[in-house]
Amino acid sequence: MEKTNHPIGAFFIMAELRPEQQKALNDVKNAYASGFRAPILCAPTGAGKTFMASKIISSAIKKGKRVWFLVHLNEILEDTATRLSQSGIDFGFIAAGRKMNMLKQVQLVSVQTAARRTFEIYPDLVIVDECHLAVASTYKKVLQSVGNPFLLGLTGTPRRLDGRGLNEMFDVIIKTQSTRDLIQSGRLAPIKYYAPYVPELKKIKITRGDYALDELKSAMDKTSVTGDTVKHYKEKCDGRRAVAFCVNIEHAQHAAEMFRASGYSAVAISGDSTKEERRSAMDGLRSGKIQVVCNCQLWVAGVDVPNIECVILLRPSKSLTFYLQAIGRGLRLANGKNCLTVLDHAGLIFEHGPPDMEREWSLEAKKKGSSAPPVRQCPKCFAAHAPAPVCPECGYVYEQKKRFSSDQPVDGELDEIDMRQAAALERLAKRKEMIAKKAEQGRAK
């Protein structure tokens, strides 16, 4: 992508920012000053992406520039509207059911609405929320219709399920604190992770990079699986506010029914639910009137309910973005909340690794066959490492366990996968790499 000088690169206000946020905005500013025109600010849940973006918007307003904030979900639209208002930013809407005022410098824009309209007033900068979606044709159509302005992408997971590279639209990634950094600094809740069930997925077809939903529904929407989920929720999170991620609408409805049959207040929502139903579910979860929200096609982004203490994973997926975003719904801090408990009945930790592991992001297309390291935990020294019959740290010999299938939920004690030990996996990998390099150097001599 051709680099060019950015016209708003000096519009930054740093007041009220944490040091790491100020550094992130300095890095964005320097990227523009270096000639990049479409950086991505990569920041996980809790890092304050919208807050940092509001500082950029406020600076641009003072210089008379026009800014669009582009979103794809109504929940994100409403949440962003609240946050911009709290920052004292005046804005208009380009969204269905909202009165338009194109004279306002800042516009909060629904990408679906913008794709159906033509515009005479163009923005100088477009901030693209959840920008890993932005290489889709709808986004490209919108941006081309307003003269391909300068961009700022916001996401915690700059990777697409279909493997396409984000370099189709963006030109540099600006990293901020990781999820692990934020947990260790006390800005996000620590994670207790349980994986009591590993579904058998070898026979499930892969369609467009992910498991075929119809076959996945048959594998996951079973009384034995959902009953086991309710059992473990009662054991580990009894009555605490939870969100469950399901395969499809029917699966979500069945899961909600089983939670209600066990005495919990639970509802099911989906992309087909009305705005009122979706808002009611979120408000009920915030107030505590609803204990469990079972959802599909929703709530992977745009949901800010810090009171969520439990995330239930009932949908296996090849998507790292889905996995990390789903867990992110429960990572925010709240009064009386000690941790986030994850009940993984989809085997996602074995597909993608611990949610707080350090990851290297790239704008390039994903290489085929690449995957996160699998996870095993030693019960003696708590080392986390790649699957092996013997622990490489202490020599503990693992018992041979029966392989579980979707028809054989795990009984007995529910063992925690301790997130505090996630770093051990990376240390082990680095140690092996160092040993291999030294051996290679010795052979060279």
Side-chain angles (χ1 to χ4, degrees):
M1 182 179 294
E2 182 183 358
K3 300 177 183 179
T4 185
N5 292 327
H6 196 285
I8 62 172
F11 298 175
F12 290 77
I13 297 175
M14 298 304 175
E16 302 175 4
L17 292 162
R18 300 195 302 265
E20 62 274 11
Q21 292 174 324
Q22 180 169 334
K23 180 183 182 303
L25 290 191
N26 278 334
D27 290 343
V28 172
K29 175 182 175 181
N30 292 334
Y32 285 135
S34 299
F36 293 99
R37 58 178 293 129
I40 290 175
L41 181 58
C42 178
T45 297
K49 290 187 291 293
T50 307
F51 176 67
M52 288 187 279
S54 72
K55 295 298 182 181
I56 297 174
I57 293 171
S58 296
S59 301
I61 290 172
K62 291 188 175 183
K63 297 296 181 179
K65 302 298 180 180
R66 295 184 177 277
V67 182
W68 281 16
F69 197 109
L70 197 62
V71 304
H72 74 292
L73 286 177
N74 185 66
E75 284 82 357
I76 298 179
L77 187 86
E78 293 183 352
D79 184 64
T80 304
T82 299
R83 292 171 183 266
L84 292 181
S85 295
Q86 290 172 344
S87 297
I89 295 173
D90 185 34
F91 59 91
F93 285 99
I94 301 175
R98 309 271 187 168
K99 186 177 180 180
M100 288 177 53
N101 182 353
M102 293 301 299
L103 296 180
K104 291 185 180 290
Q105 285 179 252
V106 180
Q107 298 290 334
L108 185 50
V109 184
S110 163
V111 64
Q112 293 88 351
T113 301
R116 297 191 296 267
R117 299 187 180 181
T118 58
F119 302 94
E120 296 181 358
I121 301 176
Y122 291 178
D124 300 290
L125 171 70
V126 173
I127 299 175
V128 185
D129 195 58
E130 303 298 336
C131 70
H132 50 275
L133 304 172
V135 299
S137 58
T138 305
Y139 285 82
K140 289 185 174 180
K141 179 181 178 181
V142 171
L143 295 172
Q144 289 170 0
S145 72
V146 292
N148 290 316
F150 290 93
L151 304 179
L152 174 64
L154 304 178
T155 185
T157 52
R159 180 181 296 178
R160 286 181 58 85
L161 177 60
D162 60 12
R164 290 170 62 180
L166 293 180
N167 55 3
E168 292 182 26
M169 187 168 292
F170 299 95
D171 50 16
V172 65
I173 294 177
I174 307 297
K175 293 180 64 176
T176 61
Q177 286 187 300
S178 66
T179 295
R180 180 179 296 170
D181 292 334
L182 292 165
I183 291 174
Q184 291 177 344
S185 65
R187 298 190 183 281
L188 290 180
I191 303 171
K192 288 188 176 182
Y193 203 110
Y194 300 92
Y197 179 76
V198 182
E200 180 56 65
L201 303 172
K202 289 184 178 179
K203 296 182 180 180
I204 305 294
K205 289 190 302 186
I206 303 298
T207 304
R208 296 181 180 178
D210 208 353
Y211 298 108
L213 290 183
D214 55 343
E215 295 186 14
L216 201 58
K217 194 261 185 186
S218 298
M220 297 301 296
D221 191 7
K222 296 182 178 182
T223 301
S224 58
V225 178
T226 309
D228 203 42
T229 301
V230 176
K231 168 191 168 185
H232 289 134
Y233 169 78
K234 184 175 183 178
E235 179 183 342
K236 295 297 179 182
C237 299
D238 190 19
R240 295 177 186 172
R241 280 167 273 200
V243 55
F245 292 87
C246 303
V247 175
N248 63 9
I249 298 173
E250 190 177 14
H251 186 204
Q253 291 171 339
H254 290 167
E257 288 169 4
M258 291 200 71
F259 274 103
R260 288 195 294 268
S262 296
Y264 298 108
S265 57
V267 298
I269 59 170
S270 71
D272 291 340
S273 300
T274 65
K275 290 182 180 180
E276 290 71 24
E277 289 170 334
R278 290 152 68 167
R279 186 178 294 112
S280 176
M282 192 177 298
D283 291 344
L285 201 59
R286 286 195 178 108
S287 67
K289 183 179 179 180
I290 296 173
Q291 294 166 304
V292 184
V293 173
C294 302
N295 86 103
C296 71
Q297 304 170 359
L298 280 177
W299 286 29
V300 178
V303 173
D304 184 9
V305 184
N307 307 89
I308 293 172
E309 294 185 73
C310 179
V311 169
I312 302 170
L313 302 173
L314 292 172
R315 176 189 171 177
S317 178
K318 293 287 186 180
S319 171
L320 174 62
T321 295
F322 165 78
Y323 171 57
L324 297 181
Q325 295 273 19
I327 291 175
R329 297 316 95 207
L331 284 174
R332 296 187 185 277
L333 302 176
N335 290 333
K337 178 178 176 179
N338 298 317
C339 67
L340 165 66
T341 300
V342 179
L343 301 179
D344 183 355
H345 290 253
L348 286 169
I349 194 170
F350 304 106
E351 181 93 42
H352 302 292
D356 68 338
M357 70 179 289
E358 301 288 349
R359 302 177 191 273
E360 291 297 325
W361 302 107
S362 173
L363 292 172
E364 304 298 322
K366 182 182 177 182
K367 295 180 180 179
K368 291 184 178 180
S370 60
S371 61
V375 177
R376 194 168 196 178
Q377 184 185 23
C378 174
K380 184 177 179 181
C381 72
F382 301 103
H385 61 88
V390 179
C391 174
E393 294 292 335
C394 69
Y396 175 85
V397 179
Y398 289 97
E399 296 179 5
Q400 295 297 316
K401 295 183 179 181
K402 185 178 180 181
R403 184 177 180 84
F404 302 119
S405 70
S406 57
D407 297 316
Q408 298 171 312
V410 178
D411 292 321
E413 196 71 20
L414 184 59
D415 295 327
E416 177 187 342
I417 297 178
D418 192 343
M419 290 295 97
R420 293 172 299 177
Q421 305 302 322
L425 179 63
E426 296 164 61
R427 290 198 300 270
L428 177 63
K430 289 180 180 179
R431 185 184 305 170
K432 288 183 176 181
E433 183 180 355
M434 185 181 299
I435 292 172
K437 286 183 178 179
K438 287 183 177 180
E440 185 177 347
Q441 291 171 355
R443 288 193 296 271
K445 292 180 180 179

